[in-house]
Amino acid sequence: MDTTFIDEVVIDNFKQRTKQKKDKTMLTISNLDVYVENHQILQNISLKIPKNKITVLLGPSGCGKTTLLKCMNRLTDLYKELKVTGEVFIENDEILNGDVSLPDIRQKMGLLSQKPYPLPMSIYKNVAYGVKLKGVKDKSLIDFYVHRNLKEVGLWEEVKDRLHSSPTCLSIGQQQRLCLARGLAVKPRIILADEPTSALDPTSSKIIENLFKKMKEDYTIVLVTHVLRQAMRLADYVVFMHYGKIIEQGKPEDMFENPQTPEFKEYLINGN
């Protein structure tokens, strides 16, 4: 296999990561409002999400965390009843307004849902699908990237002898990591994770959490959770939401040790 292309890709990825780390903000959200008919779901959201950190969107169920996550890659476009106003920037690119390519936006963001949804094809083809979306056609390069992405999520040793089997043979925790590998195959810069461990057992949850801790070296991670203990374990930056508003945001050591609002104090007392 000709490794010249691979070497160029590795060097290019290194340069991109080095450049990204010089700039401290990956996503900037300004004056974001979301309505469904006469009901306002998100109210005046303004937020800066730091690069190469884990930002946790924390709050009770129904407070708007998932809607905010969907605004970041414009999945809100799938819901015609939603009206979205404001600005969302990926670095210097404003994605809500103007002429932007939705496929390009979404390829910058890997999405991990509450429940894993492997494609109805083999383990190998699930990851290869993401690789092919980036225009890679050479079989040896596809093999290389499938191996690399499965290894990155700690799944290679567990599936290397059954790559052409259906993902249904995997545990739900393994399926979630497979979906993560598929998402990484499109070379995203941001990982949007919507309660990714809510359907997993404690062991599988710990594996995902440990992966996130390692992966923030190369990716910006936005994690939605309502589990206080998980936020305490993972967060580099915390955003507490309540009834569609950001009530508090800041570094976890400041937020958890010295909450400023009655809503957040109550959440800390009653949280799980």
Side-chain angles (χ1 to χ4, degrees), residues 68-107:
L68 177 55
L69 201 72
K70 289 178 178 178
C71 290
M72 295 179 192
N73 67 352
R74 284 187 52 177
L75 280 179
T76 46
D77 287 16
L78 300 176
Y79 305 89
K80 299 303 181 184
E81 67 274 17
L82 293 182
K83 177 184 177 183
V84 181
T85 63
E87 295 178 322
V88 177
F89 288 86
I90 301 177
E91 295 183 306
N92 296 320
D93 298 324
E94 208 284 312
I95 68 169
L96 285 186
N97 307 293
D99 185 19
V100 294
S101 168
L102 282 181
D104 287 347
I105 290 170
R106 289 170 184 161
Q107 284 189 24

Side-chain angles (χ1 to χ4, degrees), residues 32-45 62-68 71 76 79 81-84 241-246:
L32 182 70
D33 294 301
V34 178
Y35 300 85
V36 54
E37 296 180 348
N38 295 323
H39 175 64
Q40 190 166 4
I41 301 173
L42 294 180
Q43 302 181 45
N44 195 29
I45 301 294
C63 69
K65 303 185 299 295
T66 296
T67 300
L68 177 55
C71 290
T76 46
Y79 305 89
E81 67 274 17
L82 293 182
K83 177 184 177 183
V84 181
M241 298 183 66
H242 196 257
Y243 290 113
K245 298 179 181 179
I246 292 178

Side-chain angles (χ1 to χ4, degrees), residues 142-155:
I142 293 172
D143 288 345
F144 169 80
Y145 285 119
V146 168
H147 173 270
R148 189 181 73 172
N149 287 294
L150 286 172
K151 189 173 182 180
E152 188 168 4
V153 301
L155 199 54

Side-chain angles (χ1 to χ4, degrees), residues 53-237:
K53 302 291 184 183
I54 299 175
T55 295
V56 171
L57 304 183
L58 180 66
S61 297
C63 69
K65 303 185 299 295
T66 296
T67 300
L68 177 55
L69 201 72
K70 289 178 178 178
C71 290
M72 295 179 192
N73 67 352
R74 284 187 52 177
L75 280 179
T76 46
D77 287 16
L78 300 176
Y79 305 89
K80 299 303 181 184
E81 67 274 17
L82 293 182
K83 177 184 177 183
V84 181
T85 63
E87 295 178 322
V88 177
F89 288 86
I90 301 177
E91 295 183 306
N92 296 320
D93 298 324
E94 208 284 312
I95 68 169
L96 285 186
N97 307 293
D99 185 19
V100 294
S101 168
L102 282 181
D104 287 347
I105 290 170
R106 289 170 184 161
Q107 284 189 24
K108 291 180 181 179
M109 304 188 189
L111 179 63
L112 204 59
S113 302
Q114 293 182 22
K115 295 182 180 179
Y117 292 102
L119 299 173
M121 54 184 69
S122 70
I123 294 168
Y124 175 93
K125 288 183 177 179
N126 261 268
V127 186
Y129 177 82
V131 176
K132 292 176 181 178
L133 283 177
K134 298 300 291 184
V136 179
K137 297 179 180 179
D138 182 88
K139 177 64 164 61
S140 58
L141 287 175
I142 293 172
D143 288 345
F144 169 80
Y145 285 119
V146 168
H147 173 270
R148 189 181 73 172
N149 287 294
L150 286 172
K151 189 173 182 180
E152 188 168 4
V153 301
L155 199 54
W156 174 255
E157 292 298 328
E158 298 170 34
V159 303
K160 64 182 181 181
D161 296 324
R162 44 179 174 162
L163 290 175
H164 300 291
S165 299
S166 167
T168 57
C169 71
L170 303 177
S171 70
I172 191 167
Q174 289 173 320
Q175 289 181 31
Q176 189 68 297
R177 282 186 284 152
L178 176 63
C179 291
L180 180 56
R182 186 181 69 217
L184 296 181
V186 300
K187 300 179 187 175
R189 300 170 67 183
I190 304 164
I191 297 171
L192 305 178
D194 186 6
E195 299 189 36
T197 62
S198 62
L200 305 185
D201 61 85
T203 300
S204 297
S205 295
K206 186 176 181 179
I207 291 172
I208 294 289
E209 289 185 6
N210 287 338
L211 280 173
F212 284 165
K213 291 176 184 178
K214 293 178 182 177
M215 291 170 63
K216 69 180 181 180
E217 289 295 318
D218 299 309
Y219 305 94
T220 297
I221 299 173
V222 184
L223 171 67
V224 167
T225 185
H226 64 269
V227 180
L228 180 58
R229 288 171 295 178
Q230 185 173 68
M232 290 178 169
R233 289 192 296 266
L234 294 180
D236 297 305
Y237 194 79

Side-chain angles (χ1 to χ4, degrees), residues 15-62:
K15 288 179 178 178
Q16 286 187 15
R17 291 197 300 270
T18 302
K19 180 180 182 299
Q20 289 170 20
K21 290 180 182 181
K22 291 179 182 178
D23 304 320
K24 294 184 178 180
T25 301
M26 174 59 80
L27 281 160
T28 301
I29 300 169
S30 300
N31 305 315
L32 182 70
D33 294 301
V34 178
Y35 300 85
V36 54
E37 296 180 348
N38 295 323
H39 175 64
Q40 190 166 4
I41 301 173
L42 294 180
Q43 302 181 45
N44 195 29
I45 301 294
S46 292
L47 169 66
K48 289 187 176 181
I49 293 177
K51 285 184 179 177
N52 299 103
K53 302 291 184 183
I54 299 175
T55 295
V56 171
L57 304 183
L58 180 66
S61 297

